[in-house]
Amino acid sequence: MFSFAIIADTHIMPDGGSDTAPYAVLNKANQRARMVVEDLKLHDPEFVIHLGDMVRPFPVLPNYDDVCRLALSVFQDIPCRVHYLPGNHDIGDKPIACAPAPQVSDAFVGKYKRHFGATFVAFEHQGIQFITLNASVLNSGLSEEADQWMWLEQFSKDHVDERCFVFIHYPPYLTFRDEQPHYDNIDEPGRSRLLELLSILSVEGLFAGHVHHFFYNRDGQTDMYCLPSTAFTRHDFSELFAIAPGAEFGRDDAEKLGYAMVDVFADTHIVRLINVEEKFTNTTLDARTIKPLHPREGYVPPIAVQLRHDWSTALSLPTNGPLDDFTRKKARNDYPILSTWQMGLTWLRVPLDDLDAAVSRDRMGALNGMGQRFIVVAFGIPCEQALEDLLLHGLLVDALELVLSPDDMTRAAGSIETLRRRLKKPIYVGPLVTSAPEIGTKGKFFAHKTSFGFSANEFDDPNQLSNGQKDTINNADGLLFQIHSDEDVLFQVAAIDAVALKMNKLALIHVATSQMQPADGQFDAIHLANRTALACLGGYSMSKGLVVLDTLMDIDRGDFPRGGLIDRRGNLNLSGRYLKSLLAFFEPSRLQHPLVIEKTSTKQAHTLVRFKRNGRQFCLCLSQEIDSTRIKTITQELGKIQDCFDLQNGAFIDIDRNESSSAGLLLAL
């Protein structure tokens, strides 16, 4: 229907730099806000909503008025209307005894209104209500609070069951509805009173700022988003990441900064976060870009990813001033899930254990509402208790993987038939493969290894399978396969797809990226990105099944260390960027038939994969290193190139200008 933009926490500084905090990153705030303004001109939103903290200085400071005028002069270049609501820096902190800054007051409310207008308001656009609220005054006892409650209660009576979105600076809560008060939520009784009124309104989406990081919750039928700042990240939330903090002790994790574009459809909405600094650094502003895919759009790419790390548990942050020195604030790292949205991944693979805990089940339900699907994996036939859990929460499960011991592979046919009948979801089976048979063979050492799944050549001779194995396979919907890190991905995918077609089975193909020995690491970014691109291409060439990518997040400790689609801070690695670009490029056409891979050629410098898609010829070019001069060499080899798509940036580039610094290109011939 239309799109609008949301900006949060710009923290515009006085000219000449910071005089309110000793943080170097604040000196970047104004320029980052201006980059957002320039980028908004390309996206043409119907309107923009600013979630507060337009400025850094509090109203008590003498330069507050000057900085408010400066902020408005920056935002006036946005080519559409901007709606403002107050943040704690604009109007004062919420009432909290240990607040590190001046609290909201009537005087501060008056100052705010002179610059930005009303502190709460509603407007209608294409039949949808948009409500902006003042969070700082909740629980304050100020007349502004009473006025807002009276107005909101009347509004909720007048607009029952109307579609609406709500915008507020402080989120009602970070992780749990009943969490204790802290610096980053709305205290009781205001929190419950607000949520009750919003439930009457049937709010579709609630957007908050303040925390400078992304968080997502599903409250009833409401999607609740905390959006990032354009200026800096909050250093306290760096504790969520099992890795050293980003720049300036976690305050300048630039890949997490930016703004949101919200696409509104007839019956849903999609939030896309845009990292502007990355765009200014890696692409020209006039470059044509492809809008990233999002799972809520309804496309289901034939690609899944394993969520090996915990993705649903709330962590306790250190008690450390100046914000929460006396309370144990809890938060959840939602960046892994955000990354799957950014890449457009629908299929997620988790262990059966994730059905045990209510918190992970709740998250699975929330992500189902976002359009995502879950493959659940178990070793062996589930015990009775696990089976009961599986059946009880079957709506959360879209497919079941069973990795079976060699013995179970010969005798599980009856159990699988019963499970299929009860679960009514596709069941895939494959054998466990361990290093145990290697004991006593020649070699310098024995390495503990496990993997699972068939290889295509096991089906070359039907006599290789026992009658019991055949029965188990026949009673399953699909088979598990694994492509090892030293195997050719496209060759193996084609061989496995042929086996699946012959046996009339679905195929789940796990593409390994780890080295063959558990002590060796694999963090070659270009190698991993190229392998991911080939696996993605292979997935779209399959007739029946999915390709499963090994790990969403880096495994950077323990055995088989390797890079994933994202790093330990939740930022996209090069392989994640390639996947994001490819899924965006492939899916909107809604392919009716698999793409056809016609020719693969590998040279020392690059690999070229020619394929046909919807009657058009393309070539995937994967170089072994970044070399902008290689485009000319490839052009000479392929002949005329109509278009060139940069996999790292998701943008079309000018071949004649030779402007790419990416090792991965998709060429239209």
Side-chain angles (χ1 to χ4, degrees), residues 43 48 51 171 198 231 317 518 527 531 560 591 607:
H43 289 276
V48 174
L51 293 177
L198 297 185
L317 303 186
H527 169 82
R531 191 166 176 82
F560 298 108
L591 292 174
T607 296

Side-chain angles (χ1 to χ4, degrees), residues 3 299 361 479:
S3 299
Y299 302 114
R361 291 197 301 270
L479 302 177

Side-chain angles (χ1 to χ4, degrees), residues 381-420:
I381 301 298
C383 68
E384 192 59 35
Q385 182 58 56
L387 180 57
E388 290 302 317
D389 286 345
L390 185 60
L391 296 173
L392 180 62
H393 307 295
L395 291 177
L396 302 174
V397 178
D398 293 279
L400 175 65
E401 281 189 35
L402 294 179
V403 177
L404 303 176
S405 69
D407 287 343
D408 281 346
M409 275 300 303
T410 66
R411 60 192 184 199
S415 299
I416 291 172
E417 183 178 12
T418 301
L419 187 54
R420 279 184 69 197

Side-chain angles (χ1 to χ4, degrees), residues 54 98 101-102 119 187 224 226-227 243 305 313 345 412 456 458 460 484 491 586 619 635 641:
M54 278 75 75
C98 59
T119 66
D187 297 357
M224 297 175 60
C226 290
L227 298 184
I243 194 171
V305 67
T313 303
L345 286 165
E458 290 183 67
D460 291 344
H484 297 289
F491 179 85
F586 286 142
C619 183
T635 302
I641 297 175

Side-chain angles (χ1 to χ4, degrees), residues 415-550:
S415 299
I416 291 172
E417 183 178 12
T418 301
L419 187 54
R420 279 184 69 197
R421 187 171 60 251
R422 298 178 67 186
L423 186 61
K424 296 181 174 60
K425 299 292 173 67
I427 295 177
Y428 297 78
V429 298
L432 177 73
V433 181
T434 78
S435 53
E438 298 177 13
I439 295 177
T441 60
K442 283 188 176 182
K444 294 181 180 179
F445 53 80
F446 172 74
H448 293 77
K449 293 183 291 184
T450 61
S451 64
F452 60 91
F454 295 102
S455 61
N457 60 20
E458 290 183 67
F459 295 88
D460 291 344
D461 181 2
N463 294 325
Q464 286 185 261
L465 300 174
S466 69
N467 290 333
Q469 288 174 315
K470 291 177 183 178
D471 291 340
T472 298
I473 290 171
N474 288 336
N475 283 355
D477 298 277
L479 302 177
L480 303 178
F481 293 87
Q482 185 153 162
I483 300 175
H484 297 289
S485 58
D486 59 349
E487 294 181 307
D488 183 304
V489 172
L490 292 181
F491 179 85
Q492 292 297 329
V493 167
I496 292 168
D497 193 43
V499 170
L501 281 172
K502 182 179 179 180
M503 302 185 67
N504 194 27
K505 296 291 180 184
L506 301 170
L508 273 185
I509 305 177
H510 289 262
V511 179
T513 53
S514 59
Q515 300 277 34
M516 298 303 290
Q517 293 298 339
D520 297 334
Q522 177 54 274
F523 292 96
D524 182 332
I526 293 179
H527 169 82
L528 292 170
N530 289 348
R531 191 166 176 82
T532 298
L534 292 172
C536 182
L537 199 65
Y540 279 98
S541 71
M542 291 176 63
S543 304
K544 303 183 71 173
L546 296 172
V547 165
V548 184
L549 301 176
D550 175 38

Side-chain angles (χ1 to χ4, degrees), residues 591-645:
L591 292 174
Q592 298 300 312
H593 303 284
L595 61 84
V596 178
I597 297 174
E598 298 183 326
K599 181 181 179 182
T600 299
S601 61
T602 300
K603 298 186 176 182
Q604 185 175 3
H606 57 257
T607 296
L608 301 180
V609 183
R610 290 175 180 257
F611 63 93
K612 183 180 290 186
R613 166 184 179 250
N614 286 355
R616 293 191 62 190
Q617 295 286 338
F618 295 88
C619 183
L620 178 66
C621 173
L622 301 173
S623 300
Q624 306 306 319
E625 59 184 70
I626 295 175
D627 182 357
S628 60
T629 64
R630 187 151 294 135
I631 296 179
K632 185 176 181 180
T633 304
I634 295 168
T635 302
Q636 293 172 347
E637 185 174 342
L638 294 175
K640 183 175 177 57
I641 297 175
Q642 297 181 9
D643 240 331
C644 183
F645 185 54

